[in-house]
Structures are given as structure tokens and as C-alpha cells.
Amino acid sequence: MAHADLFVPGRSALHRLDPRVKFVLALLTGALVLSWDSVLLLAAFLVLTQLVLWHIRYPRATVLAFWRALRPFLLLIVLLWPVFHPGGSPVLVTAGPVHITLPALFAGVSAALRVASTAFIALLWLGTTDQRALVRGFVRLGMPFSLGIALTIGLRFIPLFAAIVEQVSAAMQSRGLILPPRGWRRLRALVPILIAALITSLRYSEQLGWALALRGVGASRQRTALHDLTMRWQDWVALLAGGSLLVGLLLARVVWGVGGALLAPLSPR
Amino acid sequence: MVGDVAPGTPLLRFEHVQYAYGDVPALLDVSLEITAGERVAVIGPNGSGKTTLAKLSNGLLRPHAGRVIVAGHDTSGRAPGELARIVGYVFQNPDHQLFQPTVEQEIAFGPRTLGLSPSAVAKRVEAMLALFSLTPYRRQHPTLLRRGLRQLIALAAVYALDPAVLVLDEALSALDVPQAMHVLGMLERDCHQGRSIVLITHDLQLAAWAERVVLIEHGRILADGPARVILGDAALLERAGLDPLPATTLADRLLHRRGVLSPHELIALLSQARVATKTDDANGPR
Amino acid sequence: MHATSTHAERASQAPAIQVEGLRYWYPPVEAGQAPTLALDGLTLTITPGEAVGVTGPAGSGKSTFCLALTGLVPQETGGVIEGRVLVAGYDTRRVSVAALAAAVSIVLQDPESNLLGLTVEDEVAFGPENMGVPPAEIARRVDWALTVMGLAHVRTRPSWALSGGQKQRLAIAAALSMQPSVLVLDEPTAQLDPGGRRELLRALMQLRKVLGQRLTLIVAERNLDWLSALVDRIIVLDHGQCVLDGPSPALLVSARAHMQALGLPVPQLAELAAWFAERTGITVAWRTVDEAQEALASWLAM
């Protein structure tokens, strides 16, 4: 059964980093990237993410699929931003009430780059952290365990549900149901499939609830763990060094406006 | 529909069919022909390609090489929904096939989707309820009934389409063997009118009901012949990872005889063998 | 309830399972209907270390009986219960299912529904983790359970990548790591192919050899050939009542007419054993084809 998971096992430093540290650094990097307006800085950052993905040998096919999924959104942002933010000079194109100016275009590109960068930060984080470590990291950071196990089972359930829908669809087509290739009629034809899939899922989740009770969930207040997370010195170094760098850059942005100009660091603010 | 086809006419034909799931090959050069009125059992270990074969027969899967011809139509050009009136496929898990609020409506779904008139649909529903002894449950919700009944409902729902070929993919697994044999006996009566039945099963006693057995292993047809010959060959079955019936194994080991399927037959042979030994003894020392 | 008592301590409490006048009605499926009677007056005793097979036609109450041993019936299924069930001394109506899990474990017939989608070793560790067992002890139990079930070589694989037979064995390993004194299997071979069934039988026989008295095994099954190779005693249910109870495989021979009347298949070995007894005057009951072969070979040679 296929697993809807971005995680690909590997031996890079990023893979071995403690999931809590990765999570914190991902958050800080995301915040930093979102605070920047500079097209040059953002483009450089994006290139950096691609280099890291290449370095840790993340499958190119998945990266390309990721870009393909992002493409329509990025194009939309670049095209629509100037329409809604006319202003500045020089004006490039005028079409009736719509003025497309160069600064606005740059701002659009900057926004698109921010979206792409955050997406790739997420990919780098999820691509190098397996589900168990992910959930364990959250739990150690304070998330209640029951939420953690719900998350694990929920994540596992997505491909399971997809598989059930596929099997139910096959069974119904075998009874004469013809699925229209697209459109409203297809949606309507999917209804009986979803009903059966839902019933199967409910039955399955009841059994799962039993399985959890039978494995002693709720028996003891003190839950232990076979493989627990421990911080190595590398994790501390990454956290402190990376953390300081990112916080420093954030402060630079907020206090001194570094990275605020569209063409920073080339042009003045 | 059934009845239009004379027994002996080819209904389902696989011509050098290949299929793979991604890089994993499932069927490698499979050629097979099933004629109207035949009862065929398909056996083999898990992963051998049985279910792939079944899904190719009604168009749920399209061959990567070769052709699958169903009653003269190439499956590549047809949607599974169109082929459903010719090939009725019953899955093992009834929960994937039941979605109507009552048993009656479940059985009515197929004929109605095929476009039969309301009176014709009603007639079919009554016939199916009677045939599979489901009348006491007609207004109940199928998912609340036990698994064996759910399997019968799924079977009835597909049978209501009056398909020329019925494919049962372990569809009787929740029934006790005597009950399953009873159902197969009922279905057998329609084989005389030209309906073919393909039974995919792990249970060799059920397989013995068929007249012909096809043994698949690792995507290839290892053997295809009369049930007695295939099921009665202990060595062949063991090579394919299956467990022969005890009578078959004992006949093979004790008497070097093949083709023995029931204790009754084995007992007769054992008695003969014993008599023969005693006669030898009585005729003097060797 | 912390699982501090060891296997030995629990084993000395006899019997392992005591059922007294058990009656159970499932709640009605639709409002206004009468509740369905699933178990109708079961009384039996099972001693520690026994391996008992439970069989019967579809709808006879096998699964309900299995669930009643774990407390799921009636705690999770609702309905009305009469009489009582004592498992390892605990009353299944009073002790919570999670706490009972320290004494009794069940493996359901759908291999998928026993597993949580973790890696193999995490699945096996999950139970003891919930019970607060120290990590070093958990590691020891995981190693042992995986070895005895023949899964040590796949310990880091995700559980959804295993075959059906492997999943069943994993579910049993996950149950074993909680060190129950009673293990219940509800139709474990129903969704397995012949290879999977063989592997499971081998693993269970090995388990019995290793644990002996410390584990009581209850197996609900319709595949009587498979079951008779594993268990010492067979109970036959019909409409929620116990209609036959005797040593296995002897019962399959002596009561075969009755079982056939109930709609159960008569194992071929039982048929042959009955004929052999008639012919030679020697009462036999064969568990496996090998046993039958040996007896028949010597008879032929006589």
C-alpha cells in the first residue's frame, strides 16, 4: 500500500538532526523568509534550498513534482500582484484602469519567491524527518501523547482511505456503474463510492479503537518510550548557532530593515 | 445475456497477456480461454496473479501487452461499467461492494443501472432474494448483517446483472464449506444454459467442484487441466506452495497414486492394496 | 493496574478462564427491535497452559465469545450480559479493557485492524510503552517477541509493507510483548493463503513449546484441519450454546456426524480415522497427515 509521505530515508546531517531542533529552525527560517522582501535575497535562498536537496540526494522526481504543483500558484501571484498593487514607476503596461509598474512586478515576484521558499523549507523538514520522529518531537515539546498517536494514525489513514475508495470504485464499476471522466456528473457518481468507503472506514476505525484499548492505551498515567529522543552535541550546536544566526537576521530585518528593499542588498532602502 | 450463448462458445480469452504494477510484474505471458458453460477454479499462492487475472477480465485493468477478449469485445476499448453486463465480478470483501440502505435496493442497483424497466428490476430482485435465501433480510441494512450474509448479498447483487461470466474472487470465504458448496451447486445449474463460472479460491475442496483447474504461480500458468488431474497431483501443488488435500497426499505417499481427492476413494484403494498384499502372502513366501 | 506480576505468579492461579452461565445480548441494531441473543448459557473452565479451539457454524457465537474474554463484550459493545467471565482471576465486567490487557490479548481476523501503522518494532513496543514498562525491559520483550514469531529480520520495516501472514504474526508479537497469560485468536487464518497458514501454525507451535504452562491459547477457527494440528481440546458452539466439548482430534472423529449436522465440514483425517477404527478396532485420532501416513503404512505392511 502506498504511503503518502514526503520522507525519504538518508544519512545526511539534516536527517540525523533532532526533530525538535529541525522544527524550531524550520519555524525560524520560515519567519525570516516571510519577513524579507528582497527579490535577490529570496532568490538566493531558494537556490540554497535546491542545493541542499541535491546534496542530501532527495529524489529529483519528487522535487520536480513539487515545482509542478507550485507552478500555477506562483504564476498567479506574479500576474495578479501588480494588478492589485498599482503604484510606483516606471509604468510598463497600461490596459484601461490597470497599470502594471516595474516595482509592482518585482513585488509580485518577491511574494511568489516567499511562497516557494516556505514550501521548500517544509519539504526539507518533512523530507528528512520520519513520522515517528516527527510525532515524538512534538510530544517531547509538549503536545499531549493522545494527540500524537491520533496524528500518527490519522496520517496513516489518508492513503488507507484512498485505497479503500479505489477498491470500492472498482467494485461498483463491476456492477455497471460507469464513471463519467469529469465534471458534475462524475462528482454525483462518486457519491455511492464515498458512502461505501465511509462505512468501511467507520467499521475500520471501530476496530482500531478496540485495538488501542487492547494495547493498554489509558492503562497507566506514566507512559514510557522504547526509543526516546536525546540531544547530541551536534544538535545543541545546530540549535544555538543556527538559532542565533536566524534570530540575528530577523532582528536585522525588523530593527534595521535589512532585506526590506526589493533589490536589497544592491539598492538602498 | 446468458441463454443467447451456446455452450462451447469462447467467452473469455487472454492472448499473451502481460501486466505489471509499477516495476513489479504480476502476469507474464498468460494465455487462457474459457468457453460458455465451463466451471473453472483458479488456484495459486498469494501474489501469484489470480486477482490481477480477474481484474483484467472485466476491464478494471488493461493489459500492458497482449489482449483480453470478452464475448468478442476487446477490453481495451471498453469501460468496466460496460463490461459488467457480460462479466460479473464479485470481490472477497463485501464491505467494498455494499452501499445501499436495504438488501433489496442493493440487489436492484445493478439491473437499474443497466436500464431495465422497473417491473423487470422487481422481478430480478425477487428471483435473487429467493435463490440465495435472503428474503427474511430484504429490508435490513446490509452492513449490520454478519459477514457470511454480506458476501451472499454481494453475490446476489452481481448475479442480478445476469452476466455470462461470473468471477468469484474468494467471494465465499466467510461461508462454511458445506454452505459454499450448496451455493456453488445452485450456480452450477445455470452453467447448462451457457454461463461460465470462474472460482478463485484457496480452498481445494471448493476447487474440486470445478471441472477445470488453472494453477497460477509467479504470474505464469503452471498447469491447466481437469480438476482431478491438477488437484490430485500432490507434488505439483506442493511445488506451487499449496497444501494438497490429505487424501491426495496420502494416496501419493502410500500408494504412489495420483488423482485421489476424497477419503472415500482413498479408503477403497487402501482396501484393495491390503487385499493384494494378503493375497500375495497367502500364495506363499516371496 | 501495572503489570508487575510475572508469568509464573499468574500461572499458579488456576483456572486461567472461568465462564459461568454466560448469556449475552447485543444491543438492537435499529430502534424498536429486540436485542440479539449471541451467547446462551456458556459454562466452562480452561486451565493454564491449555490450547483450546472454538468452532461452530457461522453466527454460532465464536467471535462474541472471544470478545467476551477480553472485556470488549460488554464494555465496548454495550448490550446486556448475564453470568460472569473470569480471566486470570479478573472479572471482565468490572476491570477496564485497558487494564485487562495486561492479562489477556486478542488478535482479530483482519490483519490490518490489529496494527497501528508503525514500524514492526514500534508496534511490538507500543503495548508495554502504554503500561509504563521501563525502556530496557521493553527492548528485551520486543527482541524476544520478534524472535519467537520469526520477524526479527524485518524489525525496522513499516507494518503496512508486510504480507498478510507476517501481519498476523506481528499482531501476535505485539500481543505477546504485554506478557498476557491468555492469548485469544479470532479466526487467524481466515484471510491468509496456504503459505501464511503454515507459517502461522509453525510460529504458534513454537510459542507453545517455549512458554508451556505460562500461556493459555484460545483459537476460534473454521479451518478444522489447521486447528486440530494446534489445539488439545475443541469446543463446538451452536446458536450461542456449547454443544460439544472434548479432546482434539478425538472429538472430530467421535462427533463427526453431529458436526456435519451442524453444517461443519468433516476433516478428511477424521473421516479416515473413523474408517481405520472400524476396520482395525484400534481407536485413533490423527492430528497431521504424517501421523496418518505412519499408521496406515504399518497397517498396509502387516
Side-chain angles (χ1 to χ4, degrees):
Chain A
M1 173 196 321
H3 206 61
D5 196 356
L6 293 168
F7 173 66
V8 172
R11 304 213 40 84
S12 70
L14 208 53
H15 278 91
R16 283 175 285 162
L17 202 56
D18 188 286
R20 293 165 291 181
V21 172
K22 250 186 287 191
F23 178 58
V24 169
L25 292 178
L27 278 182
L28 286 174
T29 319
L32 182 66
V33 154
L34 286 174
S35 73
W36 278 344
D37 294 302
S38 163
V39 171
L40 294 173
L41 281 177
L42 287 168
F45 179 79
L46 202 54
V47 169
L48 182 63
T49 60
Q50 304 304 301
L51 285 174
V52 174
L53 282 168
W54 171 79
H55 175 72
I56 64 171
R57 292 186 223 263
Y58 197 76
R60 248 185 37 175
T62 318
V63 178
L64 286 173
F66 216 69
W67 273 115
R68 272 200 304 273
L70 282 173
R71 196 176 46 196
F73 297 105
L74 299 179
L75 276 172
L76 213 61
I77 293 173
V78 172
L79 290 174
L80 288 183
W81 194 278
V83 175
F84 291 100
H85 293 85
S89 59
V91 178
L92 295 173
V93 174
T94 312
V98 174
H99 303 275
I100 301 193
T101 64
L102 190 61
L105 197 63
F106 266 107
V109 171
S110 159
L113 287 174
R114 261 178 278 159
V115 169
S117 300
T118 4
F120 277 102
I121 292 170
L123 182 61
L124 276 169
W125 171 46
L126 294 174
T128 57
T129 320
D130 77 51
Q131 247 178 41
R132 180 232 271 159
L134 204 68
V135 175
R136 188 89 206 122
F138 287 142
V139 170
R140 283 295 296 272
L141 283 173
M143 181 170 75
F145 175 75
S146 50
L147 203 58
I149 195 69
L151 195 65
T152 306
I153 293 174
L155 285 170
R156 183 222 174 186
F157 202 68
I158 297 169
L160 203 67
F161 187 77
I164 292 173
V165 170
E166 207 190 294
Q167 283 165 316
V168 170
S169 164
M172 292 200 183
Q173 290 183 66
S174 307
R175 257 206 277 147
L177 185 77
I178 298 183
L179 273 187
R182 65 187 65 79
W184 173 243
R185 269 181 292 148
R186 183 183 177 87
L187 248 57
R188 266 194 46 196
L190 284 174
V191 169
I193 294 174
L194 287 174
I195 292 174
L198 208 64
I199 294 175
T200 307
S201 309
L202 285 171
R203 190 189 294 274
Y204 173 76
S205 59
E206 181 192 48
Q207 304 257 302
L208 196 61
W210 289 0
L212 286 173
L214 291 166
R215 305 266 211 99
V217 169
S220 164
R221 312 209 107 254
Q222 267 300 74
R223 210 184 174 277
T224 49
L226 177 61
H227 296 294
D228 213 342
L229 299 175
T230 43
M231 295 280 281
R232 310 161 301 159
W233 67 262
Q234 296 98 323
D235 297 316
W236 285 115
V237 165
L239 182 62
L240 292 170
S244 335
L245 174 66
L246 292 167
V247 171
L249 286 171
L250 261 172
L251 280 175
R253 168 71 184 96
V254 170
V255 177
W256 296 297
V258 172
L262 280 175
L263 289 174
L266 292 184
S267 70
R269 56 188 80 112
Chain B
M1 296 300 134
V2 170
D4 305 336
V5 189
T9 322
L11 275 182
L12 182 59
R13 191 163 69 232
F14 285 72
E15 292 173 1
H16 300 288
V17 168
Q18 283 186 41
Y19 192 86
Y21 293 100
D23 328 318
V24 182
L27 287 180
L28 306 158
D29 193 18
V30 165
S31 295
L32 182 65
E33 186 177 274
I34 293 174
T35 57
E38 267 198 293
R39 287 171 286 137
V40 183
V42 178
I43 63 176
N46 274 6
S48 54
K50 305 191 300 286
T51 296
T52 311
L53 194 73
K55 288 189 172 170
L56 283 162
S57 68
N58 81 332
L60 282 173
L61 296 175
R62 306 292 156 79
H64 292 160
R67 297 194 306 166
V68 178
I69 318 276
V70 173
H73 308 291
D74 189 326
T75 60
S76 303
R78 307 276 169 143
E82 291 175 57
L83 294 169
R85 52 195 76 207
I86 311 171
V87 179
Y89 183 0
V90 189
F91 293 64
Q92 176 179 22
N93 190 345
D95 298 325
H96 292 167
Q97 304 170 74
L98 305 175
F99 60 97
Q100 294 286 344
T102 65
V103 174
E104 301 182 296
Q105 285 172 275
E106 194 67 65
I107 298 176
F109 180 80
R112 221 174 331 114
T113 312
L114 286 186
L116 292 182
S117 70
S119 56
V121 170
K123 258 180 55 189
R124 287 271 178 100
V125 170
E126 291 307 320
M128 292 299 110
L129 287 173
L131 187 64
F132 294 99
S133 310
L134 292 171
T135 320
Y137 310 101
R138 65 188 299 160
R139 278 183 245 286
Q140 293 196 29
H141 203 300
T143 51
L144 300 172
L145 300 168
R146 65 166 195 272
R147 195 178 165 96
L149 280 174
R150 299 203 301 271
Q151 280 193 329
L152 278 180
I153 296 168
L155 172 55
V158 171
Y159 209 61
L161 296 165
D162 198 21
V165 181
L166 186 66
V167 179
L168 302 173
D169 191 353
E170 310 231 32
L172 303 174
S173 59
L175 301 177
D176 296 319
V177 171
Q179 204 186 358
M181 293 296 291
H182 173 71
V183 172
L184 289 173
M186 277 185 336
L187 299 179
E188 186 179 334
R189 276 177 245 142
D190 283 338
C191 290
H192 301 308
Q193 288 174 344
R195 186 184 329 269
S196 312
I197 299 184
V198 178
L199 177 69
I200 299 175
T201 182
H202 280 313
D203 189 317
L204 297 187
Q205 280 184 317
L206 290 185
W209 160 86
E211 4 169 68
R212 175 178 162 202
V213 169
V214 174
L215 170 59
I216 296 190
E217 206 230 343
H218 285 125
R220 281 186 216 275
I221 295 184
L222 212 58
D224 178 355
R228 187 167 286 280
V229 171
I230 311 279
L231 298 175
D233 188 344
L236 175 68
L237 294 175
E238 279 164 15
R239 262 206 314 275
L242 301 176
D243 286 328
L245 295 166
T248 313
T249 309
L250 288 169
D252 183 52
R253 291 187 194 169
L254 295 167
L255 306 167
H256 308 289
R257 288 287 293 260
R258 294 192 192 174
V260 177
L261 300 180
S262 73
H264 183 71
E265 293 160 28
L266 177 63
I267 288 167
L269 290 171
L270 285 171
S271 303
Q272 275 175 20
R274 186 98 196 290
V275 168
T277 324
K278 283 191 144 170
T279 322
D280 284 345
D281 288 345
N283 288 342
R286 295 209 177 102
Chain C
M1 198 173 292
H2 193 58
T4 45
S5 53
T6 60
H7 272 302
E9 281 169 22
R10 275 201 291 272
S12 62
Q13 304 159 13
I17 295 173
Q18 212 168 317
V19 180
E20 295 163 5
L22 178 64
R23 274 201 169 76
Y24 177 71
W25 289 260
Y26 276 107
V29 289
E30 276 165 65
Q33 283 186 352
T36 335
L37 180 63
L39 296 175
D40 190 8
L42 287 183
T43 298
L44 45 99
T45 306
I46 296 173
T47 56
E50 265 197 285
V52 181
V54 180
T55 192
S60 54
K62 301 187 293 293
S63 283
T64 310
F65 177 64
C66 290
L67 295 177
L69 293 176
T70 63
L72 283 172
V73 157
Q75 295 183 36
E76 291 293 321
T77 54
V80 176
I81 191 170
E82 275 177 19
R84 67 178 187 162
V85 178
L86 293 172
V87 177
Y90 304 128
D91 186 331
T92 59
R93 294 164 307 171
R94 312 236 151 101
V95 178
S96 76
V97 172
L100 278 172
V104 53
S105 295
I106 188 169
V107 173
L108 304 167
Q109 73 163 272
D110 180 3
E112 214 49 69
S113 60
N114 296 303
L115 305 174
L116 303 169
L118 312 170
T119 58
V120 167
E121 60 178 6
D122 283 340
E123 289 277 359
V124 182
F126 187 73
E129 282 177 352
N130 288 325
M131 315 217 88
V133 174
E137 169 68 8
I138 298 181
R140 209 186 54 78
R141 293 192 192 185
V142 168
D143 286 337
W144 176 81
L146 289 178
T147 311
V148 96
M149 282 290 130
L151 293 170
H153 62 292
V154 291
R155 67 185 294 158
T156 52
R157 233 183 260 181
S159 62
W160 42 264
L162 301 180
S163 71
Q166 286 175 320
K167 281 182 189 165
Q168 283 297 52
R169 284 183 290 145
L170 175 58
I172 296 174
L176 288 175
S177 65
M178 292 194 288
Q179 295 192 331
S181 52
V182 176
L183 180 62
V184 183
L185 305 178
D186 187 5
E187 298 208 39
T189 68
Q191 306 196 15
L192 300 183
D193 72 341
R197 290 200 291 260
R198 274 196 302 271
E199 282 169 4
L200 184 62
L201 182 62
R202 222 179 358 241
L204 288 171
M205 290 175 85
Q206 171 70 3
L207 185 65
R208 288 201 69 208
K209 220 174 357 176
V210 167
L211 286 179
Q213 281 280 300
R214 290 173 290 169
L215 185 70
T216 308
L217 195 60
I218 315 289
V219 185
E221 252 301 335
R222 285 180 297 129
N223 185 333
L224 294 174
D225 295 280
W226 186 89
L227 190 62
S228 64
L230 178 66
V231 301
D232 316 310
R233 173 179 167 197
I234 284 190
I235 291 170
V236 181
L237 299 181
D238 182 36
H239 290 104
Q241 295 182 332
C242 175
V243 294
L244 289 167
D245 181 352
S248 166
L251 186 69
L252 297 173
V253 182
S254 59
R256 68 189 190 288
H258 191 167
M259 292 176 76
Q260 198 165 23
L262 289 173
L264 294 171
V266 179
Q268 293 196 337
L269 288 179
E271 198 77 68
L272 290 167
W275 164 80
F276 191 79
E278 230 175 291
R279 192 60 196 264
T280 63
I282 311 169
T283 314
V284 285
W286 297 314
R287 276 174 189 268
T288 62
V289 172
D290 294 327
E291 282 180 27
Q293 181 187 353
E294 214 183 290
L296 289 169
S298 17
W299 177 74
L300 279 177
M302 276 186 342

